[in-house]
Amino acid sequence: MDYKSVRKGNTQAGFNENASTWLFFELIVISFMIGGFTFNWIIGVAAFIILTALLFFKKTKKILLVLLTILATILGGILGGMFGGIIGAIVLGILFLLISGGLHIGAYEWTEDMN
């Protein structure tokens, strides 16, 4: 094993850990929103536990990460539309799609490494 492949693997592992941090931040925000909308923090905590448990199963993990990517894309489109009209919505939607897609792929790899 040469130096460059070890370095690439180490760099990829670091990126995947950062992506998993972002994933859990998203899950916490969603759980807080669910708890806030229902005015019941037990439901918020249950939502976090359920969302985290979905990461242990390959099919549900893929579905969850795709849904989170779609939600990020929609959020980018909404923000872009608010500030820049239809062009802003398209540009920010695509930007959010690429960024969140890359982060969710890294988080997927991290969860695969942890299993």
Side-chain angles (χ1 to χ4, degrees):
M1 199 176 271
D2 64 339
Y3 170 76
K4 287 187 179 187
S5 64
V6 172
R7 185 174 184 278
K8 286 180 185 179
N10 192 23
T11 302
Q12 184 67 38
F15 172 77
N16 291 348
E17 282 187 36
N18 291 337
S20 71
T21 302
W22 175 254
L23 172 65
F24 282 105
F25 174 74
E26 285 178 318
L27 297 182
I28 288 170
V29 168
I30 290 169
S31 300
F32 269 103
M33 290 174 62
I34 291 171
F37 289 141
T38 60
F39 298 106
N40 190 341
W41 292 109
I42 294 174
I43 293 175
V45 171
F48 180 74
I49 292 170
I50 290 168
L51 289 171
T52 304
L54 292 176
L55 296 175
F56 288 103
F57 305 102
K58 197 168 225 147
K59 286 184 180 182
T60 58
K61 177 180 6 183
K62 288 178 183 178
I63 292 169
L64 177 63
L65 294 176
V66 167
L67 287 175
L68 288 173
T69 302
I70 291 169
L71 286 174
T73 304
I74 292 170
L75 178 65
I78 291 170
L79 290 174
M82 289 170 52
F83 297 115
I86 189 71
I87 300 298
I90 292 170
V91 169
L92 263 175
I94 291 171
L95 185 64
F96 275 46
L97 171 68
L98 295 174
I99 291 171
S100 68
L103 287 172
H104 290 134
I105 289 170
Y108 178 83
E109 291 175 358
W110 180 82
T111 58
E112 289 294 307
D113 291 342
M114 292 299 113
N115 282 339

